[in-house]
């Protein structure tokens, strides 16, 4: 995650705001709006916490249906591969970010040049994690959600 954070920070330095690119998805499923952004975060947090609680339930209920360590090893290995592919995509594709804070006129859309290496390495937590631009080709929330839901589904199928 730290390497991914460095990559996201680096691409934010390269980000240049522009007009929002329109596609069929925006017409079929309009955006929630800046005032309802919490809905997306709430759904993601619910999926994330549900998966964590589910994966550790054998320790509470003493059931042996799933192997928590094996599941987490596979999930983390898959997430590392996804993060690496995501890094490649957002460095190879420079598009204006669709988030409100990435659009033209926002002071968060571009980052000034760093004054030191330390400024880059510290990632400006948590602002750097919440307000990144230029790294939205594949959503990190969507990657995590799909991996967690698919893992849960596969564990219940017995595969």
């Amino acid at each position: 995650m730290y390497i991914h954070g460095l990559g996201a920070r680096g691409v934010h330095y390269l980000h240049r705001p522009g007009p929002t690119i329109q596609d069929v998805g925006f017409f079929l499923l309009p955006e929630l709006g800046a005032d309802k952004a919490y809905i997306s975060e709430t759904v993601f947090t619910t999926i994330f916490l549900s998966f964590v609680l589910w994966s550790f339930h054998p320790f509470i209920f003493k059931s042996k249906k799933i192997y928590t360590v094996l599941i987490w090893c596979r999930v983390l290995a898959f997430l590392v591969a996804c993060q690496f592919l995501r890094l490649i995509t957002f460095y190879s594709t420079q598009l204006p970010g669709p988030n409100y804070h990435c659009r033209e006129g926002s002071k968060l859309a571009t980052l000034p040049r760093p004054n030191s290496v330390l400024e880059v390495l510290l990632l400006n937590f948590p602002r750097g994690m919440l307000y990144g631009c230029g790294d939205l080709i594949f959503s990190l929330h969507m990657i995590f959600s799909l991996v967690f839901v698919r893992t849960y589904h596969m564990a219940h199928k017995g595969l």
Side-chain angles (χ1 to χ4, degrees):
M1 287 303 291
Y2 180 74
I3 292 169
H4 176 269
L6 286 176
R9 181 80 167 174
V11 81
H12 194 164
Y13 285 120
L14 301 173
H15 180 259
R16 296 294 167 251
T20 304
I21 297 173
Q22 300 296 310
D23 64 5
V24 176
F26 278 114
F27 295 118
L28 296 176
L29 187 64
E31 56 191 342
L32 295 171
D35 59 328
K36 293 186 180 115
Y38 69 90
I39 294 173
S40 171
E41 293 302 319
T42 303
V43 170
F44 174 73
T45 302
T46 302
I47 291 172
F48 184 84
L49 292 177
S50 297
F51 182 79
V52 170
L53 291 173
W54 168 79
S55 70
F56 286 100
H57 86 272
F59 296 107
I60 298 166
F61 295 113
K62 306 292 185 221
S63 66
K64 295 283 185 181
K65 286 188 171 189
I66 64 167
Y67 297 97
T68 303
V69 173
L70 181 61
I71 284 180
W72 275 103
C73 285
R74 289 179 180 179
V75 164
L76 292 175
F78 195 79
L79 289 176
V80 167
C82 288
Q83 295 283 45
F84 178 72
L85 293 172
R86 187 169 183 260
L87 272 166
I88 291 170
T89 60
F90 61 64
Y91 269 104
S92 61
T93 317
Q94 294 294 314
L95 296 173
N99 277 339
Y100 292 100
H101 61 270
C102 297
R103 295 181 183 173
E104 290 178 307
S106 171
K107 64 179 182 170
L108 299 171
T110 57
L111 290 177
R113 291 277 178 213
N115 295 324
S116 68
V117 174
L118 189 61
E119 184 180 334
V120 175
L121 295 177
L122 292 179
L123 299 179
N124 199 6
F125 182 80
R127 182 181 170 265
M129 292 177 60
L130 299 175
Y131 296 108
C133 294
D135 65 338
L136 301 172
I137 298 296
F138 296 107
S139 163
L140 189 60
H141 283 65
M142 187 56 67
I143 290 169
F144 273 70
S145 297
L146 288 174
V147 168
F148 292 160
V149 169
R150 181 73 176 149
T151 301
Y152 175 80
H153 177 70
M154 296 299 286
H156 277 283
K157 281 178 63 177
L159 299 174

